[in-house]
Amino acid sequence: PLYPAKMMAENVRLSFASNQMEQAEIQLDLAAERLREMERLMVNGNMDNTALLERAERHVENAFGLAEEMPVQEMAGLLTQAQEMLQARQRAFDDIADQIPVEAEPAFNQVQLMLKNMGEIAAVGLQEPQLFRYRHTVNRPPALPNPPEMVPPIITIITPTETITTPVRIGPVGPCAENEDCEPQGEGP
């Protein structure tokens, strides 16, 4: 019952961040919190941690997305923080590995893989900032287009300026003049 309130408080915290660096640091804090929650749940045998893992991964990805837009020095500082957080969580998961019930091992392995992958991404960002920027620019989902402005359409009314005096008959293929034989052209059925 308190978890939705906790999520709301975290969203408020994010909305009050004064700059991109602060937003990214909060995203990393939230990822670490999701991972700590997973540690506790796994030790207790809870196997369905998919939602928490997705949230943790999304928080790290959000932090990386913000880092990509920062100057190189700030990006390096944030990626170092990310790497340290991911390594600390990896050590924490390693410490509880022998306490994980057999049923929770697949979820445990998913977390280990996510931590490894995100750690590698941070390492690439520290070694090759341009490659990191490219990855987060190319793989970023396209922004949704802005909704069109609600402007009333301009309606044009066309009034005939010439009167048609010859009756026109619409035949099987196209219009035929009344005095002409109308024969279908092309192949029939």
Side-chain angles (χ1 to χ4, degrees), residues 160-169 176-179:
T161 57
E162 188 177 318
T163 307
I164 300 173
T165 56
T166 307
V168 176
R169 184 179 83 215
C176 296
E178 188 131 329
N179 297 337

Side-chain angles (χ1 to χ4, degrees), residues 9 13 25 36 52 69 71 75 77 79 113 134 137 142 150:
R13 182 177 166 208
E25 289 171 339
R36 282 189 292 273
L52 282 175
E69 299 172 2
M75 182 175 81
L79 292 175
L113 182 62
Y134 177 78
T137 302
M150 297 306 290

